[in-house]
Amino acid sequence: MRIAVFASGGGSNFKSILDATRTGELAADVVLCVSSRPDAGVVERARSAGIAVHVIPGDMSGNLAGLIRSLRIHDVDLIALAGFMLLIPPRLIRMFPDRILNIHPALLPDFGGKGMYGMRVHRAVIERGSLHSGATVHVVDEKYDTGPVVLQKKIDVLPGDSAEDLAARVLVVEHKIYPQALELFARGLIVFDGRKAIINQRPDTQS
Ligand code: GRF
């Protein structure tokens, strides 16, 4: 499986995915990093790891042809969004049916939707007084955070947690479940029943 990671931030999820391919925990290759920001940490990480980088020079719709060309050149068959700040256009979603994943730093469907990203998510969880949060890997559809859930892991919100404390603990979970979810795809273990993603069999790496 040939993965393109789309990211606009520091790229810690990019790193966890790349590391998993290199340890053999994930039977796939990261062949491309796509970013909306040339100065993003993830771009530097990808370059120093020898991974090809495609920077989108503006909005998605005006630059889609160049992006699609890059995806074809690198023969990408699955896209992993990891802190990517642009909305994926319907044409790209149709080109990769059920093959675009995203990681969200909360337990979807809670704390998802337009405007719910980054620290805003963790602040909302703390403000609501939720006892739990976590991370969700889901398939991307044409709306924000509404596609089928592939993997989810719950953690406790601890008394006195700040949004930053919670973000740090959720990130640890993200680094674990994103490679696991990708491995399920690499091994062909995900099947779809309507809008539900079903795991046919647990992979060895699952815990
Ligand atoms: C993560 O918290 C992810 O859940 C969200 O964006 C953040 C990306 O962090 N979608 P990083 O760039 O992978 O460190």
Side-chain angles (χ1 to χ4, degrees):
M1 189 169 79
R2 294 172 66 81
I3 302 172
V5 177
F6 285 32
S8 307
S12 68
N13 279 285
F14 170 85
K15 181 181 184 305
S16 75
I17 293 167
L18 183 64
D19 288 350
T21 65
R22 294 186 169 171
T23 60
E25 188 191 331
L26 168 56
D29 292 309
V30 175
V31 294
L32 183 65
C33 166
V34 173
S35 187
S36 57
R37 288 185 33 214
D39 59 342
V42 69
V43 169
E44 181 49 40
R45 271 191 209 269
R47 291 211 168 108
S48 48
I51 306 295
V53 173
H54 177 96
V55 174
I56 300 173
D59 69 338
M60 266 299 225
S61 46
N63 295 287
L64 197 54
L67 173 60
I68 289 172
R69 205 174 313 122
S70 269
L71 294 170
R72 286 200 174 120
I73 288 169
H74 293 282
D75 202 13
V76 168
D77 48 32
L78 187 139
I79 293 172
L81 308 183
F84 187 64
M85 295 310 290
L86 302 176
L87 186 63
I88 301 299
R91 184 169 164 215
L92 200 55
I93 293 172
R94 285 194 298 270
M95 279 181 66
F96 289 86
D98 295 328
R99 303 289 287 178
I100 305 181
L101 304 186
N102 182 43
I103 185 134
H104 186 79
L107 297 173
L108 290 175
D110 294 341
F111 303 104
K114 194 164 167 31
M116 270 294 184
Y117 58 86
M119 289 307 294
R120 292 179 183 207
V121 175
H122 303 294
R123 279 197 286 270
V125 171
I126 300 281
E127 273 161 27
R128 173 107 46 102
S130 302
L131 297 177
H132 306 288
S133 190
T136 305
V137 178
H138 66 95
V139 177
V140 172
D141 63 11
E142 294 185 17
K143 297 197 207 101
Y144 284 100
D145 304 327
T146 55
V149 169
V150 177
L151 276 186
Q152 217 164 32
K153 188 167 166 70
K154 195 198 280 193
I155 62 167
D156 292 337
V157 178
L158 302 177
D161 260 353
S162 65
E164 288 74 17
D165 296 333
L166 184 59
R169 289 207 316 285
V170 168
L171 199 56
V172 173
V173 170
E174 293 181 37
H175 295 162
K176 196 167 167 138
I177 68 168
Y178 214 173
Q180 288 177 342
L182 290 164
E183 173 70 357
L184 291 171
F185 277 82
R187 293 174 61 186
L189 296 179
I190 297 291
V191 291
F192 290 92
D193 175 10
R195 301 304 297 145
K196 259 182 108 105
I198 295 166
I199 303 173
N200 253 345
Q201 180 202 313
R202 295 305 231 189
D204 308 334
T205 50
Q206 186 78 31
S207 61

